[in-house]
Amino acid sequence: MKKHFYLILDTETAGNIDKNETLVYDIGVAVIDKTGKVYQSASMVISEVFYGMPEKMNTAYYAEKIPMYVKDIEEKRRYVVTFEYARGLINYLCNKWECKAIIAHNMRFDNNALNYTYRILTGKFGYFLPNLPKWCTLRMAQQTVAKQKAYIEWCKKHGFVCKNGKPQTKAETLYRYMTRNPNFVEKHTGIDDINIERQIFAWIIRQHKAMTRTYYNEK
């Protein structure tokens, strides 16, 4: 049986989330299979935003992360690239591995942020990601594990509940449940969060449940 590959990604952004005006400064990507095994990965810091837009990066939340990024860049754990280079690499990886889909936890946010950044940096309206199905593990989780009695009760026990009373389905909470570690905290960097989200993807696939995988109304 032919093995299927997927490109999973995570972005970190600076800007106004409420207005969907967020600029991507960090993209983590990995090629994985349905078990979450990583075959190739990259951690990219976007030069035009990270270095070129200090007014965005120097806000309180992002400013405290800058020294960590600088150290990682100096030690070659992350690479500074242009936004166009990142786009080209993602296309290259999808073609090289014949990826079946692109995956993100809350794909709507990541896809919108990448498209918005593309428009701001190039002045063009267009799509950053390749024309492949875009799967959302947030939506997939809501249709599967979030409906399970054990998950609902665990979330209630530890206070991981939304205002509407439903269990949280953000990646951090799902991973806390998977590892039975309610104190786990995400690092909120692209490549580190992918390590969590690829495991969540594999966990959801193991449920063998019918689900809509895209963030829009297609399977």
Side-chain angles (χ1 to χ4, degrees):
M1 183 180 295
K2 182 180 178 180
K3 186 186 290 287
H4 292 298
F5 298 102
Y6 311 89
L7 185 105
I8 189 166
L9 65 84
D10 184 80
T11 66
E12 296 300 322
T13 64
N16 193 326
I17 293 177
D18 294 334
K19 292 185 178 181
N20 292 320
E21 296 176 351
T22 56
L23 293 159
V24 175
Y25 66 84
D26 176 11
I27 307 175
V29 297
V31 175
I32 62 171
D33 61 21
K34 68 179 183 180
T35 70
K37 179 180 177 181
V38 175
Y39 293 82
Q40 194 167 353
S41 64
S43 178
M44 297 174 284
V45 176
I46 306 304
S47 60
E48 296 98 320
V49 180
F50 189 80
Y51 290 115
M53 298 185 179
E55 74 283 1
K56 298 289 186 182
M57 295 302 303
N58 287 332
T59 59
Y61 176 74
Y62 307 104
E64 68 180 29
K65 298 171 73 174
I66 290 174
M68 176 200 69
Y69 275 94
V70 170
K71 181 179 179 181
D72 285 353
I73 290 166
E74 290 173 349
E75 296 178 357
K76 300 189 184 305
R77 287 196 292 268
R78 305 179 197 278
Y79 292 90
V80 179
V81 302
T82 65
F83 196 59
E84 189 59 37
Y85 178 92
R87 188 182 189 215
L89 180 62
I90 288 171
N91 275 273
Y92 168 77
L93 291 174
C94 287
N95 289 328
K96 175 184 175 181
W97 293 93
E98 298 180 355
C99 292
K100 184 178 180 182
I102 300 172
I103 304 166
H105 198 78
N106 195 355
M107 173 57 84
R108 183 182 301 278
F109 174 83
D110 290 293
N111 193 45
N112 286 346
L114 289 165
N115 289 339
Y116 178 76
T117 305
Y118 179 77
R119 177 164 67 86
I120 295 299
L121 295 184
T122 67
K124 301 175 183 177
F125 287 88
Y127 302 103
F128 177 85
L129 294 174
N131 186 24
L132 288 170
K134 295 173 180 62
W135 292 1
C136 179
T137 50
L138 172 63
R139 191 177 192 194
M140 292 161 67
Q142 289 169 341
Q143 298 171 81
T144 55
V145 295
K147 292 183 177 180
Q148 296 171 2
K149 183 178 179 181
Y151 182 76
I152 294 170
E153 291 181 348
W154 188 87
C155 285
K156 288 181 178 178
K157 176 182 177 181
H158 294 285
F160 303 138
V161 181
C162 302
K163 291 181 180 179
N164 61 9
K166 292 183 179 181
Q168 293 178 0
T169 49
K170 58 185 181 180
E172 186 175 66
T173 302
L174 291 164
Y175 193 74
R176 285 170 171 171
Y177 177 77
M178 283 177 59
T179 58
R180 296 301 192 273
N181 178 9
N183 298 315
F184 171 79
V185 177
E186 272 186 301
K187 291 187 177 180
H188 293 293
T189 72
I191 201 68
D192 291 307
D193 290 356
I194 278 177
N195 185 50
I196 299 162
E197 291 161 16
R198 66 181 175 84
Q199 295 178 64
I200 291 171
F201 169 70
W203 176 42
I204 293 170
I205 293 299
R206 290 197 300 271
Q207 306 300 309
H208 298 292
K209 300 289 185 181
M211 70 187 91
T212 299
R213 303 187 181 198
T214 59
Y215 70 95
Y216 43 88
N217 293 322
E218 293 182 9
K219 292 186 178 181

